[in-house]
Amino acid sequence: MAQINLKGMGVALITPFKDDESIDFDALSKLIEYQIQNGIDYLVVLTEQEKNEVLSFVIERVKERVPIVLGLGGNNTRGIVERLKTESFQGVDAILSVVPYYNKPSQEGIYQHYKAI
């Protein structure tokens, strides 16, 4: 993944659902267009369960008009590192990863977590 300098306002996209709990891609498309037309600088895809479908859809719709940031985090540092090594990030400009939650690592633990990533 090439280094990118993100600046400005990023918007975390929600995943809209239909009544039958399937992803509402029409609504998602409208959200993407609305955000880009109103001047956001990059989009963040945070969803985990529907991540692959939503991420592919967002990449296709954005067409490189703004950078895409993928939310990728959790408590399992090794699991995150493995995902970074094995998943395709084609079309993703950066990742956003949270400090491990629940287990409350020390400052050194936080440093080691991000160093591994």
Side-chain angles (χ1 to χ4, degrees):
M1 194 179 315
Q3 187 173 12
I4 185 168
N5 183 14
L6 297 173
K7 60 183 175 181
M9 181 178 62
V11 173
L13 288 172
I14 63 163
T15 302
F17 292 96
K18 297 179 183 178
D19 289 338
D20 67 359
E21 298 184 11
S22 64
I23 299 169
D24 188 341
F25 286 106
D26 289 336
L28 182 57
S29 182
K30 289 175 187 174
L31 285 170
I32 292 166
E33 292 307 316
Y34 178 83
Q35 296 300 332
I36 291 173
Q37 290 173 10
N38 285 282
I40 57 94
D41 296 299
Y42 58 92
L43 291 171
V44 181
V45 179
L46 294 174
T47 182
E48 193 64 35
Q49 184 179 10
E50 311 84 21
K51 184 187 67 165
N52 292 333
E53 280 185 88
V54 171
L55 180 60
S56 295
F57 184 85
V58 171
I59 290 169
E60 179 184 314
R61 290 296 186 276
V62 169
K63 296 181 182 5
E64 299 181 354
R65 294 177 285 171
V66 296
I68 296 173
V69 178
L70 176 63
L72 182 67
N75 284 324
N76 182 348
T77 301
R78 286 185 184 149
I80 295 167
V81 170
E82 187 60 31
R83 287 177 66 187
L84 288 169
K85 289 178 181 178
T86 59
E87 289 186 21
S88 169
F89 291 94
Q90 185 70 30
V92 173
D93 297 288
I95 65 164
L96 173 67
S97 189
V98 298
V99 171
Y101 40 89
Y102 300 128
N103 53 0
K104 299 179 183 179
S106 65
Q107 288 296 306
E108 179 64 20
I110 292 170
Y111 170 77
Q112 292 299 329
H113 172 77
Y114 285 112
K115 182 179 176 188
I117 291 174

